[in-house]
Amino acid sequence: MASFSSIGIGLGGNVDVNGLIKASVDAVKLPITKTNGLQQQAALTSAKVSTFGQFKSLVSTLADAASKLTSVTGWNGVKATSSNADAVSVSAVGGAAVTSFSVQVQNLAMAQSSMSAALQPTKQPVGAGTLTLATGTWAGDPKAFTAGSGEAVNLEISATDTLADVASKINGSKAGVTATVLNDASGERLLLRSKTTGEAAGFQLSVSDADGNLADGAGLSRLSTGMTTEYARNANATVNGIAVSSATNAFADTVAGVTFTANKVTTEAVTLTVEKDTSAVKKNIEAFVAAYNAVNSALNESTKYDKETQTAGLLQGDSTVLALQNTLRMALQSVNSAGALRNLSAVGVVSAGGLGLGNVSPDGSLELNATKFNKAMEDPDAVKEFFRGPEGGRVEDGFAGKFKAMTSQLLDTDGFFASKTKLYESALKLNAKEIERITDRADRLEKSLTQRYTALDTKMASLNALNAYIAQQVTTWNKSSG
């Protein structure tokens, strides 16, 4: 805005032109800036968008919780225990059959380890040639090596390579073997160990010595001549007296759905037991209750009215929020048409404070009554049928299936939240356009007033100059005539 100090005395004194222009512009912008004006409306709408985004996130979490109650995995939870976990530990996947069996461990799985004869002097070149490492199986007595399906690895050793260099080349290869140099009183030795356990993870080291003589006890052939080996082996055990074997200490395929791990050799049988685990069911129901309470609490907070402070929640009186809350509460009242258990209260989910679902607690929150839940879980199949529907039927016939379908409709791309978001976004766009229109009008008014007052200021300056000239001429004439 242009700055004016005065438009002259012709208007009866100094005039605050800046104030006049600002007052005029502010009057035009009043629909934007006033209380409950466009700016405040935009901020309020944005806050509502954020709040409904929070509702959507909470309903999504609730939908996930309902989905877990429809998943067969949660209902087929099992727990596995061992009578001696130090010797044999055990785990089981959901759906594994309830069973019990005994395990005895004869030996643990081992990796092959080999050690060369001592080399003297130490840290000196070992001789040129080629080392070949092949993986496979040692069997028979005496032991005979059968190469596996993998290709052997050839390593070129130069005339200047020390034993440490040899170990480094082995470790840098893909031979499936690790190498270490051991120094003792006799000299230095090459230690080799297969990277995995089991009979099929054995290896054979062979040497092509540059001097062409592998039996002279000199050169690179010293690494294979006189090498001692502890051969790889599988873990061996018996299950109910039947021999089983594993390349590792974990027996994953011996009993369907169960993995037991041999930790040490046993002197007596270890009993492994697989049984139903209702804790997973309880955990999933508690998660559903917590997710519902989170949504309910957020809805209550946004619609409450505080009498003491006389302040209303952001969405107090919003019919769509009340409709959402009623939709969720009505879904809780869903009654199955068949089965031993017909409603949530029958499985222990009740209104907070111990009230039945028909008597909603003051804030509408839920809780899981342990006594009623434990009673219902005396027949776990009935609880499962309540949430998932009858065996062989549709999941949508169970409470969790129906509740999941309801939340899916709310969350769909054309559902409740999408429609609400679209409505708010449309309102924000209209608001922004109206602000832009009023701002443009105010800018044009400011420009027009500035031009007018500039012209007036120029005109008044000219008149003031003329007035001063006339006054000077009159004074001069009066003096000359006197």
Side-chain angles (χ1 to χ4, degrees):
M1 181 183 292
S3 178
F4 304 89
S5 60
S6 170
I7 62 171
I9 62 173
L11 295 180
N14 292 336
V15 177
D16 183 4
V17 176
N18 294 319
L20 290 173
I21 296 178
K22 183 178 185 305
S24 299
V25 171
D26 287 347
V28 174
K29 288 186 175 180
L30 191 59
I32 298 176
T33 58
K34 70 179 181 179
T35 302
N36 294 325
L38 292 171
Q39 286 180 338
Q40 188 171 340
Q41 290 174 19
L44 188 63
T45 302
S46 295
K48 290 180 179 180
V49 170
S50 177
T51 300
F52 270 91
Q54 178 193 17
F55 293 162
K56 182 179 180 181
S57 177
L58 292 172
V59 170
S60 179
T61 299
L62 178 60
D64 290 341
S67 182
K68 286 185 178 180
L69 289 170
T70 67
S71 171
V72 69
T73 302
W75 295 99
N76 290 343
V78 295
K79 60 181 179 180
T81 56
S82 170
S83 63
N84 185 355
D86 290 339
V88 183
S89 54
V90 64
S91 63
V93 298
V98 173
T99 186
S100 179
F101 54 93
S102 63
V103 174
Q104 286 188 293
V105 180
Q106 285 75 50
N107 63 267
L108 300 180
M110 287 181 56
Q112 177 180 331
S113 59
S114 299
M115 180 174 63
S116 70
L119 275 62
Q120 284 279 17
T122 63
K123 299 181 180 180
Q124 297 297 312
V126 295
T130 302
L131 290 181
T132 300
L133 281 165
T135 56
T137 304
W138 292 95
D141 188 14
K143 294 289 186 181
F145 182 76
T146 301
S149 58
E151 293 186 6
V153 175
N154 296 314
L155 301 173
E156 297 299 324
I157 308 302
S158 71
T160 60
D161 283 339
T162 65
L163 196 59
D165 295 325
V166 173
S168 179
K169 288 185 176 181
I170 293 174
N171 291 329
S173 70
K174 296 182 179 179
V177 176
T178 60
T180 307
V181 176
L182 171 68
N183 287 283
D184 60 22
S186 302
E188 58 182 6
R189 306 170 188 269
L190 181 66
L191 302 183
L192 301 177
R193 183 179 179 84
S194 54
K195 291 183 178 180
T196 57
T197 59
E199 293 173 356
F203 62 87
Q204 182 184 57
L205 174 69
S206 55
V207 177
S208 176
D209 201 323
D211 64 13
N213 187 348
L214 303 181
D216 60 358
L220 191 62
S221 59
R222 292 177 294 168
L223 298 183
S224 59
T225 303
M227 176 170 278
T228 58
T229 296
E230 188 171 8
Y231 296 100
R233 63 182 181 184
N234 290 346
N236 292 296
T238 58
V239 175
N240 290 346
I242 299 174
V244 293
S245 180
S246 173
T248 68
N249 291 322
F251 292 75
D253 301 319
T254 302
V255 177
V258 179
T259 296
F260 66 88
T261 301
N263 301 316
K264 62 183 180 181
V265 174
T266 61
T267 56
E268 57 184 32
V270 176
T271 301
L272 305 182
T273 303
V274 180
E275 57 188 340
K276 287 288 186 182
D277 182 13
T278 61
S279 65
V281 174
K282 184 178 182 182
K283 181 179 179 182
N284 287 339
I285 295 177
E286 287 175 334
F288 174 82
V289 169
Y292 178 84
N293 286 343
V295 177
N296 183 66
S297 177
L299 292 172
N300 287 342
E301 185 67 20
S302 69
T303 57
K304 73 178 183 179
Y305 179 79
D306 191 325
K307 293 181 179 179
E308 292 184 4
T309 62
Q310 295 186 341
T311 56
L314 178 65
L315 299 169
Q316 205 240 347
D318 188 315
S319 61
T320 57
V321 178
L322 297 177
L324 173 60
Q325 196 164 39
N326 288 334
T327 298
L328 294 172
R329 288 179 176 177
M330 289 298 295
L332 294 179
Q333 307 292 332
S334 174
V335 177
N336 287 0
S337 59
L341 304 172
R342 299 296 182 91
N343 55 41
L344 274 180
S345 182
V347 298
V349 179
V350 298
S351 291
L355 301 173
L357 286 175
N359 301 300
V360 179
S361 61
D363 64 356
S365 59
L366 304 177
E367 66 181 13
L368 181 63
N369 183 285
T371 301
K372 296 189 73 172
F373 172 75
N374 292 336
K375 179 66 177 176
M377 285 302 291
E378 291 178 3
D379 186 357
D381 289 338
V383 179
K384 178 181 177 181
E385 181 179 343
F386 168 74
F387 283 103
R388 295 194 74 251
E391 196 68 32
R394 301 186 317 147
V395 172
E396 291 78 8
D397 291 334
F399 170 84
K402 288 184 282 188
F403 200 94
K404 170 65 176 176
M406 179 273 297
T407 54
S408 294
Q409 290 179 349
L410 293 174
L411 297 166
D412 276 348
T413 54
D414 59 350
F416 172 83
F417 290 106
S419 298
K420 196 67 177 177
T421 298
K422 185 177 181 180
L423 182 65
Y424 281 141
E425 288 177 347
S426 177
L428 286 172
K429 287 179 181 179
L430 290 174
N431 182 284
K433 286 183 178 179
E434 184 63 11
I435 289 176
E436 183 180 3
R437 184 187 68 79
I438 294 173
T439 300
D440 180 64
R441 179 185 169 193
D443 289 344
R444 285 186 281 108
L445 176 62
E446 179 182 346
K447 182 178 180 180
S448 175
L449 290 175
T450 299
Q451 290 174 343
R452 291 180 184 180
Y453 279 116
T454 299
L456 181 58
D457 189 60
T458 302
K459 185 66 174 178
M460 290 304 298
S462 177
L463 291 175
N464 286 339
L466 178 59
N467 182 61
Y469 173 75
I470 292 172
Q472 182 183 18
Q473 292 301 314
V474 169
T475 301
T476 303
W477 180 79
N478 286 337
K479 286 181 180 181
S480 64
S481 62

